[in-house]
Amino acid sequence: MAAFRLFFLLSLATIISPSFSRSLSQSPTPTPNQNQSLAATLPAPKPGPIESNARNYTKVCDRARFADIGLDMDDFTYCDMSLPYEVRVEDLIGRMTLAEKVAQLGDRAGGVGRIGLANYRWWSEALHGVSDVGHATYFGDIVTGATSFPTPILTAASFNESLWLSIGQVTSTEARAMYNLGHSGLTFWSPNINLVRDPRWGRALETPGEDPFMAGRYAVNFVRGMQDVEGSEVAKDMNSRPLKTSACCKHYAAYDVDNWFFHERYSFDARVTEQDMVETFVRPFEMCVREGDASSIMCSYNLVNGIPVCADARLMSQTIRNDWQFNGYIVSDCDSVAVMVENVKWLSDTAEDAVAQVMKAGLDLDCGYPKDPYYETYTLSAVAQGKVREADIDNALKNLYMVLMRVGFFDSLLAYESLGVMDVCTNGNIELATDAARQGMVLLKNNLTLPLDAKKLGLVALVGPHVQTTKTMIGNYAGVPCRYTSPFDAITKEVKVDYKQGCRNVACTSQDGIVRAVNAAKTANATIIIAGLDLGVEAESLDRSNLLLPGFQAKLINDVADASKGPVVLVILSGGGVDISFAQNHPKIGAIIWAGYPGEEGGQAISDVIFGHYNPGGRLPLTWYKNDYVDIIPMISMKLRPIDELGYPGRTYKFFNGTVLYPFGYGLSYTTFEYSKLNYETSSITININSTQYCKPLSMKPNATAPHCPAVDITSLPCDEEITFDVEVANTGNMDGSEVVQVYFKPPPEVADAPLKQLVAFQRVFVPSKGRSKLSFSLDACKALTLVEKTAYVVVPLGKSTIVIGNGDGEISFSVDVKLQI
């Protein structure tokens, strides 16, 4: 009898699996609690052979599925596709008891079998390809892998918005195919768009870098690629448009300390000025919501100015949902609610108090890992204690199930029903991953060393702990890649090598292997050293204490370079910047390439750049500082602007007033480019206002005289002024290549405490050797020329601002005189 009961329950589980499209043999082993929940909420199957119930379904509202569980789909209004989503969701929620509602508030929603509602696992990840992190996605049997792109920090270095969009589109196609096969969910908690405020942060590899505008553009494109259904990119009611998959911008907000000495992310209180909050920390999220139409936001563990973010109604419901007109659900970083009670002990709250706080602040979904979600465990008692209203629960469920309606969980989406295993790891997808790595590679130094001519080289010494790296290339939040091409695999196809590792691993705690690497360099015609960091040095929950290469890596590089017979090429794998001043200054190290964590085909991309099959055009998305930076300013100082009284030099290219190793936006090429303007030597714009209420004060430098109306608040001011100009890019060298044209805004020189400059536009363009290409730019003046004042008002300063085209040598500029008409 016991055996029969077990067989019955296992067969029943095949009716609706976590994505309810898996057969029993494909499903990951459920935990006992999950089995109990499933058995408790599903009705008994129809009489007849048990095998007749073992079918796969990709949507809730499938007549055959309802029949299989003994229900008639016509009895359930929420399955009526002729009705608006909102009406259907209202019907669905209205059918649940309070206990059933609460069971849907965690990331492993239990479903309600008596009304035909399937369970759902919300947590999937797709940071740079479909990941195996989370409860909903797994690899095995028919889906052995998915395309693993470079980590975002390297992809961002391409400065190529169309590439970011394409990666999102390919990732969502593979995700949708995996969902059809029962291997994935439809809701992906990616991308990570936090900013790299401090170079020690361990999660730099996951992000688009340090600039809020660039991070915002990355978010917009990646999210659009993940979500947009062709033909439905815009709708009168954006909450009704279908979604290919759901994307989530995280971690909101001011989250960039993981584990630095005695400061860890679970209890860190980010003391942030309103100016920095508006100008830097929340701007990428605002762009993600307003321009990308993201359907999810994740709130972070940390506190901001004494309040846990997930419990801050001003940051959550007021800002995200009301001010930004957000259409979607807000989810906690996993165990954030538990952290409030058990780690932070905020306000000495009970578990029920914490549930009430976050739900009223706007948190819709509670991710619990490794703990059980607080919502599922304590919401019923919070209601019983009068701390939570059932209407609050209904509102959270509405936000959740509106998104599941839009992604086709209930009805499927016809355009994607045919996707399957043949749409995962295609040759085209793998080539896109390779090209993304190539486009992101940054040439940091080149003394006429690269590209190497493989036909003339003969023997090459191949040295370093990353020569045969594979898993390190895909970083964190990765899945199982389609395949790996290591640097060794690719380089040995080009030349004969003498491989000596030098260091057994990245930690490089022993010098024993260095002498063998030195001897190899003595006899080879060229030496390639591949070194850097890995997830044992920089990662989630692991910030760095310095910016140096680990162990004896620097000695390995110096000793090998000193002994080398031929030219030396150094390749660095890392997410954050590394102080390699010694290599930059070493006369025998002729070239340095930063390769980030380049994804599954990273070795091929590195080889293509070294041997001239590809001309590098990447630019650094974050500043590389010298190691003395870590002795000047503590990681926990959140202020972006310099603090002169403490000797703090400021942060990021916008405010740092010291000397850097490599600046933001830096990168070399195998060719040379020149810019010329085709119009606009100078320009002026006039902003019309009908009241001085739009005038705001502006911080001015000493001895500067402020006009009667020094700046205009543009938050609610209609403004359609544009700055248009064309730039011609000439390739004056002998090799085809891509150039990244960066456009910066410099505020009027009399303004105090303003950014040194800030990025307002960029385009990547391919230009053949001796060729020319024209780029057109159109800047919204009331976005491009803005400053955030100390009062946190977003203003356009009056006077002469400067538009700078380029970054460093060869840059050109013109002034824009902003005038006022009252």
Side-chain angles (χ1 to χ4, degrees), residues 278-291:
V278 172
E279 182 179 55
T280 299
F281 294 112
V282 304
R283 190 182 181 195
F285 291 92
E286 181 176 7
M287 293 173 69
C288 180
V289 171
R290 288 186 182 272
E291 300 173 38

Side-chain angles (χ1 to χ4, degrees), residues 193-263:
I193 57 170
N194 296 116
L195 300 175
V196 185
R197 173 187 55 85
D198 189 288
R200 290 162 283 194
W201 189 35
R203 302 187 75 171
L205 72 159
E206 300 176 34
T207 77
E210 70 181 36
D211 181 74
F213 171 75
M214 182 178 174
R217 292 308 304 163
Y218 178 90
V220 169
N221 283 278
F222 183 82
V223 168
R224 287 286 181 179
M226 288 290 292
Q227 293 194 162
D228 281 358
V229 174
E230 187 175 356
S232 301
E233 294 87 352
V234 178
K236 289 183 179 179
D237 177 9
M238 294 297 280
N239 206 19
S240 68
R241 77 181 187 105
L243 301 173
K244 188 178 180 184
T245 61
S246 169
C248 172
C249 285
K250 63 184 186 183
H251 311 79
Y252 178 86
Y255 166 63
D256 54 14
V257 172
D258 265 66
N259 193 353
W260 185 73
F261 292 101
F262 302 106
H263 304 277

Side-chain angles (χ1 to χ4, degrees), residues 283-322:
R283 190 182 181 195
F285 291 92
E286 181 176 7
M287 293 173 69
C288 180
V289 171
R290 288 186 182 272
E291 300 173 38
D293 191 38
S295 53
S296 179
I297 294 290
M298 177 183 285
C299 57
S300 52
Y301 293 112
N302 58 286
L303 298 83
V304 171
N305 299 328
I307 304 174
V309 174
C310 295
D312 191 330
R314 185 177 69 91
L315 283 177
M316 298 268 284
S317 56
Q318 178 182 321
T319 300
I320 299 174
R321 200 169 292 282
N322 296 337

Side-chain angles (χ1 to χ4, degrees), residues 8-27:
F8 172 80
L9 287 175
L10 290 175
S11 299
L12 186 60
T14 67
I15 301 172
I16 305 177
S17 61
S19 69
F20 70 92
S21 60
R22 297 173 181 150
S23 69
L24 181 61
S25 63
Q26 295 167 335
S27 298

Side-chain angles (χ1 to χ4, degrees), residues 131-383:
S131 168
D132 58 4
V133 175
H135 297 133
T137 305
Y138 79 106
F139 293 91
D141 53 78
I142 57 174
V143 183
T144 57
T147 308
S148 187
F149 293 94
T151 60
I153 195 68
L154 186 67
T155 302
S158 70
F159 279 74
N160 187 342
E161 295 194 54
S162 63
L163 174 67
W164 304 338
L165 178 69
S166 295
I167 290 174
Q169 290 169 333
V170 166
T171 299
S172 58
T173 295
E174 293 197 343
R176 199 83 207 196
M178 290 178 63
Y179 172 78
N180 290 345
L181 297 166
H183 280 253
S184 176
L186 291 168
T187 48
F188 292 84
W189 295 349
S190 306
N192 179 343
I193 57 170
N194 296 116
L195 300 175
V196 185
R197 173 187 55 85
D198 189 288
R200 290 162 283 194
W201 189 35
R203 302 187 75 171
L205 72 159
E206 300 176 34
T207 77
E210 70 181 36
D211 181 74
F213 171 75
M214 182 178 174
R217 292 308 304 163
Y218 178 90
V220 169
N221 283 278
F222 183 82
V223 168
R224 287 286 181 179
M226 288 290 292
Q227 293 194 162
D228 281 358
V229 174
E230 187 175 356
S232 301
E233 294 87 352
V234 178
K236 289 183 179 179
D237 177 9
M238 294 297 280
N239 206 19
S240 68
R241 77 181 187 105
L243 301 173
K244 188 178 180 184
T245 61
S246 169
C248 172
C249 285
K250 63 184 186 183
H251 311 79
Y252 178 86
Y255 166 63
D256 54 14
V257 172
D258 265 66
N259 193 353
W260 185 73
F261 292 101
F262 302 106
H263 304 277
E264 44 77 32
R265 60 182 176 165
Y266 301 113
S267 58
F268 178 64
D269 186 3
R271 293 289 172 170
V272 182
T273 67
E274 288 298 302
Q275 182 182 35
D276 284 340
M277 202 70 177
V278 172
E279 182 179 55
T280 299
F281 294 112
V282 304
R283 190 182 181 195
F285 291 92
E286 181 176 7
M287 293 173 69
C288 180
V289 171
R290 288 186 182 272
E291 300 173 38
D293 191 38
S295 53
S296 179
I297 294 290
M298 177 183 285
C299 57
S300 52
Y301 293 112
N302 58 286
L303 298 83
V304 171
N305 299 328
I307 304 174
V309 174
C310 295
D312 191 330
R314 185 177 69 91
L315 283 177
M316 298 268 284
S317 56
Q318 178 182 321
T319 300
I320 299 174
R321 200 169 292 282
N322 296 337
D323 295 349
W324 299 346
Q325 297 297 295
F326 172 62
N327 299 303
Y329 70 96
I330 301 175
V331 60
S332 67
D333 203 344
C334 295
D335 286 335
S336 289
V337 185
V339 162
M340 286 172 52
V341 177
E342 299 172 22
N343 295 60
V344 178
K345 304 185 186 306
W346 189 59
L347 301 180
S348 300
D349 274 356
T350 64
E352 288 81 5
D353 291 331
V355 165
Q357 295 276 9
V358 296
M359 188 169 287
K360 291 174 182 177
L363 183 70
D364 301 307
L365 184 69
D366 179 18
C367 174
Y369 181 80
K371 301 177 183 295
D372 291 331
Y374 260 44
Y375 268 9
E376 290 188 17
T377 308
Y378 297 106
T379 299
L380 280 176
S381 53
V383 172

